[in-house]
Amino acid sequence: MSVVTVQLGQCGNQIGYEVFDTMCRDLHNTQGFCSKRENEIYQASCKEHFFNEDKSEVPVARALLIDMEPKVISQTLLKAAHSGRWKYGQHSHFCQRQGSGNNWAYGYSVHGPKHEESIMNLIQREVEEYDSLSGFSIIMSMAGGTGSGLGAFLTQNLRDAYPNSFIMNQVIWPYGTGEVIVQNYNSVLTLSHLYRSSDALLVHENDVVHKICAKLMNIKQISFRDVNQVIAHQLGSVFQPTYSSEDSFQYRRNPLGIDWQVRPPLSGLPALEKVSPNKELRFNTSIANLLILRGKDVHSADTGGFKDPALYTSWLQPSDAFCEWRTHRAFNKYEKSAALVSNSQFLLKPLDTIVGKAWNMFASKAYVHQYTKFGIEEEDFLDSFTVLEQIVASYCNL
């Protein structure tokens, strides 16, 4: 079961490289606390999902690199080849030398339709090389410009062309004090469109990752490479296969390690209501949590706290909302490691902040003309605001 990774824009290509490099480093590490056979199955499963092997037996990443400029793509291809551990395919990238700054509308309405055929043909050629396709992993910034607009456009096209395949978007959330003046517009448009087309959105907040680099890793001069490596480590620890005595190495229902309802169901929920100021609010109520434990003494770890009903919404039982995977196979060089993927209220505040900032700009019609000239009408903005405000309301009422 193969996964095609699509790396979009400078952000997506740089992080995509770090993800594949992290997984390859992990494959070459000693197996840690599992048996030789388990380690061999682990390595074979990862290669089957994310890599091909050519005549030189160097793993070839199952990825497409897309950007407006060839520079980033060329650098990324070169770095992978020089690593000696893995490389990208020679025909798995697409270059376009024209763009329009940080305008989401250009990527979605102009760049996407203009190059739709060539990009989808590249993806089809990649897919046809596999016996079985499980899904797509799309790595992209949501606030950039052409990359985020093209990412939304491409996700919609993949949903139409491959309706039975799992689509996951790795979304890089911008810094609160970003350099792109229209980043909140871009973010609102990106999220609302991905919500309609994607099966799952894994969000990585730059501000949160920056704090990890500063406070936990004690990095004094934090670079984008540092931030990207932390994100890559998080993704690698989730995507690598896990093992249990019951079902062997596998990815359960899909190859990307996600096994829960990632969006609030549209039916069967209690009616939405305004949250009363006097109503007792629980901290970070969850729809689902996935806990991945790796390494030494992993099966003796007590995870009972995650089964507390108080952590979850009232219409879900912890047995339905909590999933845990354990394996003695350590990740990279860590004796013990844990990864938690949570579908919860954690993003309510940053999402509400972005929507609020974008709405304030929209109310004064600031920069709206930059979008309308490329075919994005004011009604499109209003539709996007409505979608995200509904999401905020749904999560508030968990």
Side-chain angles (χ1 to χ4, degrees):
M1 302 293 283
S2 304
V3 179
V4 176
T5 297
V6 181
Q7 304 175 184
L8 281 167
Q10 180 174 347
C11 174
N13 279 296
Q14 290 177 343
I15 292 177
Y17 163 81
E18 297 293 350
V19 170
F20 282 110
D21 201 56
T22 296
M23 289 195 288
C24 270
R25 288 179 185 273
D26 177 56
L27 291 180
H28 286 85
N29 285 332
T30 57
Q31 64 263 28
F33 307 96
C34 68
S35 69
K36 180 180 179 181
R37 177 180 175 276
E38 289 173 348
N39 186 57
E40 290 173 348
I41 297 174
Y42 177 92
Q43 293 173 322
S45 181
C46 177
K47 290 179 180 179
E48 176 189 358
H49 283 84
F50 296 101
F51 296 93
N52 293 312
E53 288 191 348
D54 64 6
K55 295 180 181 179
S56 64
E57 296 186 353
V58 176
V60 180
R62 292 176 170 172
L64 292 127
L65 289 72
I66 302 174
D67 199 5
M68 293 183 300
E69 298 287 343
K71 181 179 179 181
V72 172
I73 291 179
S74 298
Q75 292 175 342
T76 305
L77 293 172
L78 198 60
K79 285 173 63 179
H82 284 174
S83 72
R85 292 182 295 271
W86 66 284
K87 63 182 180 181
Y88 286 104
Q90 293 299 311
H91 305 290
S92 62
H93 62 279
F94 168 82
C95 294
Q96 163 62 22
R97 291 179 172 82
Q98 297 177 353
S100 184
N102 293 304
N103 195 311
W104 186 94
Y106 184 86
Y108 184 84
S109 300
V110 179
H111 191 67
K114 181 179 180 181
H115 300 281
E116 174 185 357
E117 183 177 357
S118 57
I119 294 176
M120 293 304 292
N121 283 342
L122 279 175
I123 291 175
Q124 183 177 349
R125 285 167 53 194
E126 190 75 19
V127 168
E128 287 176 349
E129 294 184 8
Y130 316 141
D131 294 330
S132 178
L133 172 70
S134 292
F136 298 91
S137 173
I138 304 172
I139 306 176
M140 56 186 283
S141 166
M142 76 174 190
T146 313
S148 58
L150 178 60
F153 179 86
L154 179 58
T155 301
Q156 289 179 203
N157 275 264
L158 290 175
R159 170 54 64 221
D160 293 337
Y162 303 93
N164 298 321
S165 296
F166 191 84
I167 299 176
M168 174 181 284
N169 293 75
Q170 327 302 329
V171 180
I172 310 305
W173 200 279
Y175 284 101
T177 55
E179 297 180 358
V180 180
I181 190 66
V182 292
Q183 70 175 31
N184 296 307
Y185 278 164
N186 293 343
S187 297
V188 165
L189 291 165
T190 300
L191 288 173
S192 64
H193 283 74
L194 293 183
Y195 185 79
R196 298 182 181 103
S197 305
S198 181
D199 291 300
L201 277 69
L202 272 186
V203 173
H204 304 271
E205 289 186 83
N206 275 338
D207 287 317
V208 173
V209 178
H210 197 93
K211 289 180 181 178
I212 291 174
C213 292
K215 296 183 178 181
L216 298 182
M217 303 176 69
N218 200 31
I219 300 174
K220 302 302 181 184
Q221 299 292 330
I222 300 173
S223 65
F224 280 115
R225 176 82 188 275
D226 297 320
V227 172
N228 293 344
Q229 286 181 336
V230 170
I231 294 174
H233 185 92
Q234 293 173 342
L235 289 174
S237 66
V238 172
F239 287 170
Q240 292 288 56
T242 53
Y243 174 82
S244 75
S245 57
E246 299 176 354
D247 54 17
S248 76
F249 285 87
Q250 59 176 311
Y251 278 74
R252 311 294 170 92
R253 297 177 189 170
N254 67 74
L256 297 175
I258 305 301
D259 188 25
W260 70 92
Q261 177 67 39
V262 295
R263 294 179 290 191
L266 299 179
S267 60
L269 287 180
L272 288 176
E273 58 181 16
K274 284 288 185 180
V275 179
S276 169
N278 298 322
K279 182 179 179 180
E280 181 181 356
L281 295 177
R282 291 177 292 175
F283 172 74
N284 198 23
T285 303
S286 298
I287 297 176
N289 290 313
L290 168 64
L291 180 64
I292 303 170
L293 302 174
R294 303 174 182 271
K296 186 178 180 181
D297 301 328
V298 68
H299 290 291
S300 63
D302 180 11
T303 59
F306 285 96
K307 301 173 184 178
D308 185 346
L311 294 176
Y312 303 98
T313 182
S314 59
W315 41 268
L316 278 176
Q317 295 298 319
S319 58
D320 298 320
F322 176 62
C323 183
E324 59 180 304
W325 299 349
R326 305 179 189 227
T327 174
H328 286 301
R329 209 293 186 177
F331 180 68
N332 272 315
K333 298 180 180 180
Y334 291 92
E335 184 177 88
K336 300 179 182 180
S337 63
L340 175 65
V341 189
S342 180
N343 184 10
S344 69
Q345 294 177 324
F346 183 78
L347 278 175
L348 264 177
K349 183 176 180 180
L351 178 58
D352 194 47
T353 298
I354 278 183
V355 172
K357 289 181 177 179
W359 180 257
N360 289 338
M361 291 178 62
F362 182 77
S364 62
K365 299 296 187 289
Y367 303 102
V368 172
H369 68 283
Q370 294 186 7
Y371 293 76
T372 56
K373 70 181 181 180
F374 291 120
I376 300 299
E377 303 297 337
E378 292 187 10
E379 288 77 10
D380 297 316
F381 278 98
L382 293 174
D383 288 344
S384 294
F385 283 125
T386 300
V387 168
L388 297 190
E389 286 168 356
Q390 177 64 37
I391 295 172
V392 170
S394 296
Y395 275 94
C396 281
N397 284 274
L398 290 180

